[in-house]
Amino acid sequence: MLTLQRRQLVGHDILLARHGNHISTMRVDRQAGRVVAYLDDGSVDSAPNLITPGLPMPATVRSVLREDWKFFAVATACTTGFAGVMVAAAVALAGLSGEPGMTQLLSAYSGT
């Protein structure tokens, strides 16, 4: 079962174990896969963000959207196209009917 949760950054735990309260700020270097800590004395330390490089990370909403964006784009385009066809069909039926009541019924939009 797919559960969307925040990814746990192992590098934070490693750096906290090494330096404790002497860390002033931390940032994630996603390109290098590391967490970088700036210490109180001005030095910099970093730790890897993964326990094992082959270990799959849990899925997040952002990772699912990044992997499946083409599917969501196609589904959105299909839904928009279908809605457009339905609106066009309603307008065409209203125009084909010679009855004014039918025209009003098919072209009326209730805002509430």
Side-chain angles (χ1 to χ4, degrees):
M1 182 173 156
L2 177 67
T3 59
L4 299 177
Q5 58 187 353
R6 186 182 182 282
R7 293 185 178 183
Q8 296 299 317
L9 302 176
V10 180
H12 281 115
D13 295 337
I14 294 171
L15 290 170
L16 283 171
R18 283 185 195 163
H19 304 289
N21 291 336
H22 299 288
I23 298 173
S24 59
T25 59
M26 279 197 275
R27 70 173 179 85
V28 179
D29 184 4
R30 297 196 190 283
Q31 296 291 342
R34 302 183 71 77
V35 176
V36 179
Y38 298 97
L39 305 175
D40 292 338
D41 61 359
S43 62
V44 177
D45 190 13
S46 66
N49 216 8
L50 294 175
I51 297 171
T52 305
L55 183 68
M57 297 294 282
T60 61
V61 173
R62 184 175 290 157
S63 68
V64 169
L65 290 176
R66 184 174 40 244
E67 293 169 2
D68 297 334
W69 71 271
K70 288 180 184 177
F71 169 75
F72 290 128
V74 168
T76 301
C78 290
T79 303
T80 303
F82 183 72
V85 167
M86 290 294 110
V87 168
V91 170
L93 282 175
L96 290 177
S97 172
E99 228 177 287
M102 183 63 103
T103 305
Q104 289 176 355
L105 175 70
L106 292 174
S107 62
Y109 172 74
S110 173
T112 58

